[in-house]
Each structure stands twice: as structure tokens, then as C-alpha cells.
Amino acid sequence: MSFSVLMSVYVKENPQYLDEALYSIWDQQTLKPGQIVLVKDGHLTEELNACINIWKQKLGDVLTLVELPENVGLGAALNKGLEQCRYELVARMDSDDVSLPKRFEKQVAFMENNPDIAASSGVLEEWNENFSKYIGVRTLPLQPEEINKFAKYRCPLSHPVTIFRKSNVLSVGGYPAFRAGEDYVLWSLLLKKEYKLANLSDILLKQRAGSGLMKRRGFKSFKNEMKAIKYQHSIAFFNKYEYLRFIFIRFFVRMSPNFIKSFLYRYRHIRKYQFLIILVDIILLVASIFLSLWIRYLQIPSVDMFLRLIPHFIPIIAVWIVCFYVAGFYSLEIPRMGYKMLPSLSMIAAICTLLSFAYFYLNINFRDGPKTILLIYGLVFLALITLWRLGLNKIALKYTAKINIAFVGINNAVTELLKNRQTNSLMNYKVKLLLNENPAKESDFYNISVIKEPEDFVGEIKKNNVQIVIFTSENELSQSVKKVLFELIHYNIDFISISDFYELFMRRIPIDSINEFEFLKNINLRSRKIYFLFKQTVDV
């Protein structure tokens, strides 16, 4: 089935990036398009025109050029190009991205097999501007029902890797002529007309998402987005609450400095429940001040007294949050919700209480600070946070989304974890892959996807959005496997040894990790136990 590719280029684009984009959708594709429509959105530089002329000579009638006398913006430019598309299926492509070789083959096959889908996209990788640093992947819901709900919060399709049916898009008027958010509005119009959208789970495109992208998302971008958001509200896609929520979030993000926007963009995949945990911790820290005053004076404290003490406790609240962060209580990798939680909480409470005393007694600016309730405050908050975390533990095991993990290598500890993962549940971890070069034990892997070739492991890691890799002993891994593990460092993957992971869930160390020489080396330390206890006390 033939299809068109729709692109737009304007004066600020990089000719090298445009050349790479065209190369990726023609020379590298296993299924080549029948037509490439390139819209020249206004006046272009000589370098861009030279690049386009070279490709016109190479592609001939396959490349259709649409020249606009002035810049009209992406939405209006794409509408002009859409008019020139000869085929029903139209794939979008940005002029600075790179499509992976099987993108069109997979997308066209999906649209042919699902005639009820009006538009679909896939997973894209995010890199810096010269593709030297991997940032992450952008994944979206796959099924139409999930997409309908997701669209109330974020754009449901990744526009640079979208393919759609021309007749369906034209039936809602094409791209709305906005300078920003035109794709989001288009998907909103399709959903309002009860068209179905979908996403593929395959990685299909590499996007440049570096600092330049962050710089373009400022106040001007917010003003343009506001027009699109107002339009979505006017067509009743957003209700009043969703409309106001969207404005508030976008305003905060767009007005933030670039480093904050980069941070939020990089860690946007962190699950919502993590932010909820931090918020509840802060609420409990503040509530503990009120309860401590109540216990200290045996009466309900006045609002004036409570508000007067809040500024004094802001540094203490910050210390508690930092200690929780350092101890891993907000970490995706090792959530402290198992048997180590209570000892960790007790240690943090002791440290923070001592730091509180030091802060208020040694700081001459706080001679009248609330020194008498510090101990009460520490005990009250410890009680509240313990109850909160114990409850959160049960909630997390039952309801929270799973963190994707992969095992590298196979031994008795890995086999036991896989065998018992249904009853033990591995907390909020989901086993996606197992890299094992020995296929003889495949029956022991309990329906886990097994990768036999180390070279295929990196691709599967990205495809399944694996965040953590658990590896067995170094002596059990081949050189080819070790090479792959070091390659994964560039993809922001975290690593945990099987002994640490096993101990976290099974509450004992694996037999495989016991080293008799460690026993011989440390046996003489028993006589120094009192010294170490004294030293740790002095250090604290």
C-alpha cells in the first residue's frame, strides 16, 4: 500500500539535520514512501535550498515541493502540504528527526490491519541535538480506551512519528491554524468525532530533544498554547476544571528557567505516586508541629502560635526531606518499603532530631526558637510517618504501576526470585527480560522473555522501557555480556547486584553470595564492636 510522508521546513532549520531526516525516510527504510511532500514555510536560507535541490534531483517526482511566500506556522503549512498528498495514508516527519529503518513498514501494516484506527503513533527515543547523548524514551498508552482517558492530561500521540488517514483528518477540518499545540487540537477533534486513536509499542524514531527544544518553550510558546487550549475548551473537549488545571501546569513549566524545564522534562516519567509521597511527607511534617504544641502545652495551640513557629521549622522540614531522599525513600530503584523500613526511619529520626537541636541551639538568630518541643516533634513525626509508610507499603504492592526490570545471567538466586514472584510480588517491580546465553535452562524461566544474544539485549531494553538491570556475579558473565552492560550506561539504566536485590525481598542473603574468605577477614573485628559503637555515636 502506497503512502505519503508530510514534512515542513522553515528558515531556522539546520540543513544537515534536514538531509539526515530525508535520508532516514528514503535510503534507510525497508518500505519506501510513494510520495514525500515537503512544505517550504516561507523564505529559506541558501544552504536549506541547496539541500532541498539535491534531494529533488535524486527523488524526482517522489518529492513534491510546496512553496509558501511567508511563514504561516506548522499547522497552516501542514494543511497546505496535506492538500498535495496523493495517498490516503499520510505519515508525519519532522525535518530534524531520524526515522528508524522499519518505521513505515510497521506503521503501514498496523493501519492496514486496523481500518477503524484514524491515526496512530509509536515510541520515540529522545537524544540531544547531535545524537551523542541518550535522554530517554517517550511511551504512550496503546489502546483507544486508554488513549481517550490519557488525552485529558497530555497529548495522546507523538506527532513526529504519527501516521493518519487523510480523509479522517480532512473531515474535521485538517490541522487547526495554531502556532503551537496544533497536533493536540487535531487529536482532540478526532476524539470528539469518536474516531479511534492508537499507539504502537515499537521504537520508530529518534528525536532531537536537547537544550534548543527547552529554549523554544518560553512565554511566547505559552501564549500560543493558550489559544489552542481555549479552543479545546470551546469544543467541550476540556471541562472547566481540566481547562484551569492545564493552564496552571503549562504556565508553571513555561515560565520556569531552562534548567528547571530540562529537569522536569527529563524526569517527567517519574510516577505520580512519588510526588504524592513527597507531598504527604511535607503535610505530616507540618501537622507534627501542631500536634507537638498540643502535647507540650496540653491544649490546642492558637493559630498565631502555630504560624509563628512555621518559619523556624522550614529548615528542619527541608532536612527531613533531604534525609528521606538520601536514604532512598523516594527512589524508583530501591523503595524502602520492606523489612528495612523501620530501622531506616529510626536512624533518620535520630539524625534529624540531633540536627534540629544543633540548629536551634547553635544558631544565635534563634535564641527564642522552639527548643522545648524538638524531641516531641521528632517522636510525633516518627509515629505518623511510620503509620503512613506501612499503609503506603500495602497500597504500593497492590495498586502502583510496576517498574520494569531485567535480569542478566541465571543462578539459583535468580531462579528462586522468578519462581516466587507471584507470591512475593517483588513489590512494585515487573520482570520484563532475562539475558541468558545458555538456552538449555529455558524451561526454568517461568514465561519471562529470554534474550539469548547479548547484541539484541540493548534494543529490547529500550523497547520495554526497562529502568533497572539486575546482574549476577561478575565471574558468571561472559565478556560479550559485560560489554553490553557497559553500553547500557549511556541509556540511564540503573544496576543492582543480584545479592542486594535478593536480600531486599527475601530478607536473607543468597547462598551463592556467601564468601568464606570474607568471614575469615572480618572475624577479628568482633572484639572491636564496642569501639565501633562508641565511634559511631561520637560521629553522629
Side-chain angles (χ1 to χ4, degrees), residues 44 189 213 219 260 372 484 531:
L44 302 183
L189 290 169
L213 180 64
F219 181 68
I260 293 180
T372 55
V484 167
Y531 165 75

Side-chain angles (χ1 to χ4, degrees), residues 368-391:
D368 298 325
K371 308 179 184 68
T372 55
I373 68 167
L374 290 177
L375 183 58
I376 299 175
Y377 177 78
L379 294 174
V380 167
F381 179 67
L382 179 61
L384 292 178
I385 198 67
T386 300
L387 293 174
W388 153 237
R389 291 286 175 163
L390 288 174

Side-chain angles (χ1 to χ4, degrees), residues 140-171:
L140 295 167
L142 304 181
Q143 302 302 321
E145 297 78 14
E146 299 172 328
I147 288 174
N148 291 345
K149 297 178 182 178
F150 184 83
K152 297 293 184 177
Y153 298 89
R154 284 174 53 193
C155 187
L157 302 182
S158 292
H159 192 211
V161 69
T162 298
I163 186 170
F164 55 79
R165 302 187 193 277
K166 177 180 177 180
S167 59
N168 294 156
V169 170
L170 291 179
S171 70

Side-chain angles (χ1 to χ4, degrees), residues 104-117:
F104 296 146
E105 178 184 338
K106 293 179 179 180
Q107 287 190 294
V108 170
F110 177 81
M111 297 298 284
E112 287 181 336
N113 295 330
N114 297 273
D116 58 328
I117 300 298

Side-chain angles (χ1 to χ4, degrees), residues 298-325:
L298 299 179
Q299 62 180 5
I300 299 177
S302 65
V303 176
D304 290 340
M305 177 184 292
F306 176 69
L307 295 178
R308 190 170 63 250
L309 292 184
I310 288 292
H312 297 318
F313 271 87
I314 289 178
I316 303 305
I317 292 174
V319 169
W320 277 92
I321 297 298
V322 169
C323 286
F324 279 149
Y325 174 79

